[in-house]
Amino acid sequence: MTAPRLLVRDLAQLATPAGRDAPLRGSALGQVDVLEDAYVLCAGDAIEAVGRMRELPALDGEVVEVDGRGRCAIPGLVDCHTHAAFAGDRVEEFSLRAGGASYEELHAAGGGILATVRATRAAGEDGLRAAVERHRGWMLRHGTTTFEAKSGYGLDRETELSSLRAIRDAGGVPTWLGAHAVPPEFADADAYLDFALAEVLPEAARIAEAADVFLERGAFGAIQARRYLEACRDAGLALRLHGDQFTEAGAVPLALELGARSVDHLEVTSADGVRALGGGDVTAVVLPASALFLDRPMAPARALVDAGAPVALATDFNPGSAFTESLPLVCSLAATQLHLSPAEALAACTVNAAHVLDRAGRLGRLAPGYRADLVLLYAPDWRYLAYHLAGDVVAGVILAGELAELR
Ligand code: NIG
Ligand code: FE
């Protein structure tokens, strides 16, 4: 007996990035197909058909119907940059920052990332699994049906590997951020990398899909980042970089030279960096919630799109620099702060984010053959995704063809 199909019917609108290509660049980023009075038919975990209600054929067999009246359907959102594997919080630091302390000062004083390292090491594998599950539930409630998450708050063998396993087992895409900060038990970054590459990389490479490095003053320099990334590439991992967040320290040229999947942040990227990314295949992942949360300049996303760079948007969800799991909020920031259209924002956190995770053939669009991941919006127009600032916009989520329970 085959499982019943799922029909979402009478949708006010269905909106999906146009075409089949990935990544989308330049004017193609803003091309969204919109169908009015639409349906989506799901069979198993895949989309069987989408169309207008008046063209809906008679359906044989058992069909479960979902009422889409007053709703718009968009593809399930893809968050390609999160740090969801953490324990504890940084609410105290948040209050200090509100009083004028800077993120970099707190980091230099042994707070910041290292405070979360202490809490995450203390949580143990079960505590960490519970935390990742909780965070996954938060993301789903905001329409994220696929999430990437990084380790990077363990920085010892056991906690890094438990972080990666917890992410994988919660259905996330694991990235080994083995070079996030230098933990206090090592004298310097090189001594830490000697350990991480010899003792953690071999097993991390079996669990993670990509490796990431924080290339920044006070974290890892360009020489160390190159050493880390080359070793990770040789172990079969795709490469990503945190770059140009506070200083332009060579992340963009290194990402281009090594053929990285992405370079993320880019708040201080200069015109030269924009031009270089415009001529290459490294996706620029822009994180406006992080810039907002730290009161930093916004990345030059408009210039990146206009230069032809593949651009994706993500939350950067983490306890220190971006305590938000909401991609709809990120879309609002994209429209109001980055000067991207709602259509560009949608493509940047669906198709292009799926491309960063090497899943654009199956995720990020509402079209036959794609995985049946849908977000139903409380909206007469799909652009409420960006328009309803921090609003109650997600009415429901369908995950791999099944209505998800939102906790
Ligand atoms: O992407 N910049 C480095 N890493 C994270 C922040 C991590 C933290 O503050 O805990 C980021 O912003
Ligand atoms: Fe990050």
Side-chain angles (χ1 to χ4, degrees):
M1 206 184 78
T2 54
R5 290 182 287 176
L6 185 83
L7 175 69
V8 188
R9 57 176 302 148
D10 298 308
L11 288 158
Q13 290 182 336
L14 173 158
T16 180
R20 293 252 162 188
D21 295 346
L24 296 174
R25 304 165 183 259
S27 60
L29 188 69
Q31 277 157 30
V32 163
D33 288 335
V34 181
L35 295 181
E36 311 271 342
D37 193 21
Y39 74 87
V40 182
L41 179 64
C42 311
D45 70 354
I47 295 175
E48 182 178 322
V50 301
R52 293 197 170 80
M53 280 308 291
R54 60 180 144 79
E55 291 151 7
L56 178 66
L59 299 175
D60 298 333
E62 202 187 332
V63 178
V64 173
E65 295 197 350
V66 174
D67 182 1
R69 279 176 299 180
R71 312 275 191 264
C72 293
I74 58 169
L77 303 175
V78 177
D79 199 340
C80 67
H81 182 141
T82 86
H83 302 255
F86 67 87
D89 65 39
R90 303 245 287 279
V91 64
E92 191 54 41
E93 170 188 317
F94 178 74
S95 307
L96 292 172
R97 282 202 298 105
S102 85
Y103 178 82
E104 281 185 288
E105 280 160 20
L106 291 159
H107 180 71
I113 294 170
L114 291 174
T116 302
V117 169
R118 290 189 284 277
T120 304
R121 286 179 175 178
E125 178 138 4
D126 288 349
L128 200 45
R129 281 180 183 279
V132 176
E133 274 296 334
R134 185 164 63 250
H135 298 153
R136 186 194 79 95
W138 295 356
M139 291 191 254
L140 191 63
R141 206 155 66 197
H142 290 270
T144 296
T145 50
T146 300
F147 72 99
E148 177 264 13
K150 304 168 198 302
S151 65
Y153 293 123
L155 308 178
D156 62 19
R157 185 171 195 279
E158 196 184 314
T159 320
E160 282 298 301
L161 297 177
S162 351
S163 300
L164 294 174
R165 285 191 293 265
I167 294 160
R168 177 195 63 194
D169 296 348
V173 180
T175 297
W176 184 44
L177 179 51
H180 196 193
V182 179
E185 59 274 23
F186 291 91
D188 57 33
D190 284 305
Y192 168 66
L193 288 182
D194 290 343
F195 154 79
L197 296 176
E199 303 294 329
V200 190
L201 171 60
E203 185 59 21
R206 278 192 267 276
I207 312 169
E209 297 191 10
D212 199 342
V213 55
F214 187 21
L215 201 181
E216 188 55 71
R217 171 175 74 196
F220 296 86
I223 293 170
Q224 293 145 346
R226 173 189 293 278
R227 174 181 173 210
Y228 173 78
L229 291 172
E230 285 180 344
C232 291
R233 180 192 59 194
D234 293 347
L237 291 168
L239 305 182
R240 307 190 52 183
L241 293 86
H242 279 68
D244 295 0
Q245 185 181 9
F246 299 98
T247 54
E248 244 188 334
V252 166
L254 186 61
L256 288 162
E257 185 198 322
L258 297 180
R261 286 255 183 88
S262 72
V263 55
D264 306 38
H265 273 291
L266 305 170
E267 284 88 340
V268 299
T269 301
S270 64
D272 283 350
V274 169
R275 215 171 301 118
L277 286 167
D281 292 325
V282 175
T283 299
V285 178
V286 177
L287 309 165
S290 170
L292 179 79
F293 202 79
L294 295 184
D295 192 18
R296 299 277 310 152
M298 291 283 160
R302 178 75 265 153
L304 285 161
V305 173
D306 293 343
V311 171
L313 286 167
T315 58
D316 197 23
F317 172 60
N318 76 75
S321 74
F323 193 46
T324 180
E325 63 278 20
S326 173
L327 279 171
L329 174 65
V330 167
C331 289
S332 297
L333 295 174
T336 60
Q337 308 301 305
L338 302 176
H339 311 293
L340 302 188
S341 67
E344 290 171 326
L346 178 69
C349 63
T350 53
V351 177
N352 280 11
H355 173 75
V356 171
L357 303 182
D358 197 23
R359 283 162 167 75
R362 197 78 217 290
L363 301 180
R365 285 188 167 96
L366 296 181
Y370 282 78
R371 200 168 78 173
D373 292 345
L374 286 66
V375 179
L376 304 179
L377 304 173
Y378 289 116
D381 183 303
W382 73 270
R383 293 171 296 184
Y384 274 50
L385 171 69
Y387 170 52
H388 197 172
L389 181 69
D392 179 16
V393 74
V394 174
V397 175
I398 291 165
L399 185 61
E402 290 186 20
L403 254 182
E405 206 180 302
L406 303 185
R407 287 166 289 139

